[in-house]
Amino acid sequence: AQTVTQSQPEMSVQEAETVTLSCTYDTSESNYYLFWYKQPPSRQMILVIRQEAYKQQNATENRFSVNFQKAAKSFSLKISDSQLGDTAMYFCAYRDNYGQNFVFGPGTRLSVLP
Amino acid sequence: DGGITQSPKYLFRKEGQNVTLSCEQNLNHDAMYWYRQDPGQGLRLIYYSQIVNDFQKGDIAEGYSVSREKKESFPLTVTSAQKNPTAFYLCASSQAGGPLNEQFFGPGTRLTVL
């Protein structure tokens, strides 16, 4: 079974600085899909960014980018120019090629400090 | 506006009572999911459904039941057999045929057993 690990339960960063959240996963599949979700204090889950495993190019969405290392099964999220509104729980998620199910990591609680 | 609605937002239950959480989506998504989230924890899958009149158990299905009689509705019943039901419950939906498609989440229901 696939597993997703986030080794940093909590992190903090100063406003306007850059922070990287780690995610590793375990799978025997060659093609799959990876996602980062954000859960702010409102608890509404919001998609931040997504990546297809067969695409070499790292995904980017404005201030958010990923470092996808397929061989290492690593999918880290970089947040540039951190803003107070980035304070949230961040979940890494894996979805297989058949799209049957998502597997979520335990989450990293990020605090952006003024 | 398309989206997922969950009701109620807060729910209180006495021990020994069954309670049903509502989840409705107007996104025309085939797949729907129920997750449980405990404080400071990640998401654990309870049940999911890829099509109407069909559903599969997730990782923690014991003490829960679901039905999928309509494409847009996927109610979750928390039965008296669930020993520790106090938690935050999230419903999600996605297009079953597209693995890159992310899950869309409802706002959640917080269930408290008194």
Side-chain angles (χ1 to χ4, degrees):
Chain A
Q2 292 85 6
T3 58
V4 177
T5 302
Q6 295 178 250
S7 60
Q8 306 149 314
E10 294 189 26
M11 295 188 71
S12 62
V13 62
Q14 293 294 135
E15 195 175 7
E17 295 189 346
T18 296
V19 64
T20 299
L21 280 56
S22 300
C23 172
T24 58
Y25 56 92
D26 184 27
T27 183
S28 59
E29 302 291 330
S30 59
N31 195 28
Y32 45 86
Y33 304 83
L34 298 164
F35 305 82
W36 277 99
Y37 281 87
K38 168 185 176 180
Q39 188 181 42
S42 68
R43 307 204 73 171
Q44 177 69 55
M45 293 282 283
I46 303 164
L47 178 70
V48 175
I49 200 165
R50 55 188 156 196
Q51 174 86 38
E52 295 181 67
Y54 69 85
K55 286 191 175 180
Q56 298 291 332
Q57 187 173 5
N58 289 324
T60 299
E61 290 285 343
N62 299 314
R63 298 183 295 108
F64 299 89
S65 62
V66 298
N67 183 7
F68 174 49
Q69 301 290 328
K70 190 172 184 179
K73 296 181 182 176
S74 172
F75 183 60
S76 59
L77 175 69
K78 186 173 80 171
I79 306 174
S80 304
D81 185 27
S82 297
Q83 300 176 0
L84 297 178
D86 295 332
T87 292
M89 282 287 287
Y90 286 82
F91 294 99
C92 180
Y94 167 99
R95 186 174 191 178
D96 63 32
N97 192 38
Y98 304 100
Q100 294 296 315
N101 205 356
F102 280 73
V103 178
F104 285 84
T108 295
R109 183 176 302 279
L110 176 67
S111 298
V112 179
L113 308 174
Chain B
D1 287 337
I4 302 176
T5 57
Q6 290 185 244
S7 61
K9 187 173 183 179
Y10 298 97
L11 188 58
F12 298 89
R13 187 195 95 173
K14 292 183 179 180
E15 282 193 29
Q17 287 182 336
N18 292 356
V19 63
T20 298
L21 282 59
S22 170
C23 177
E24 304 276 335
Q25 55 98 1
N26 61 5
L27 300 168
N28 200 34
H29 285 169
D30 293 307
M32 297 187 74
Y33 308 78
W34 274 106
Y35 293 94
R36 169 178 172 145
Q37 187 178 25
D38 292 287
Q41 303 295 314
L43 280 64
R44 292 187 290 169
L45 182 66
I46 305 173
Y47 269 98
Y48 67 100
S49 169
Q50 297 290 323
I51 56 173
V52 174
N53 292 323
D54 186 52
F55 47 83
Q56 287 79 40
K57 293 182 179 180
D59 300 324
I60 56 165
E62 184 175 354
Y64 301 96
S65 65
V66 294
S67 62
R68 186 84 187 278
E69 297 177 0
K70 298 185 296 183
K71 186 175 183 178
E72 59 270 23
S73 178
F74 191 41
L76 173 74
T77 297
V78 184
T79 74
S80 57
Q82 170 50 237
K83 298 305 180 186
N84 184 22
T86 294
F88 186 67
Y89 291 87
L90 280 164
C91 179
S93 71
S94 69
Q95 283 287 48
L100 188 60
N101 292 332
E102 75 272 23
Q103 288 185 330
F104 291 80
F105 285 84
T109 293
R110 175 170 293 286
L111 173 63
T112 302
V113 174
L114 303 174

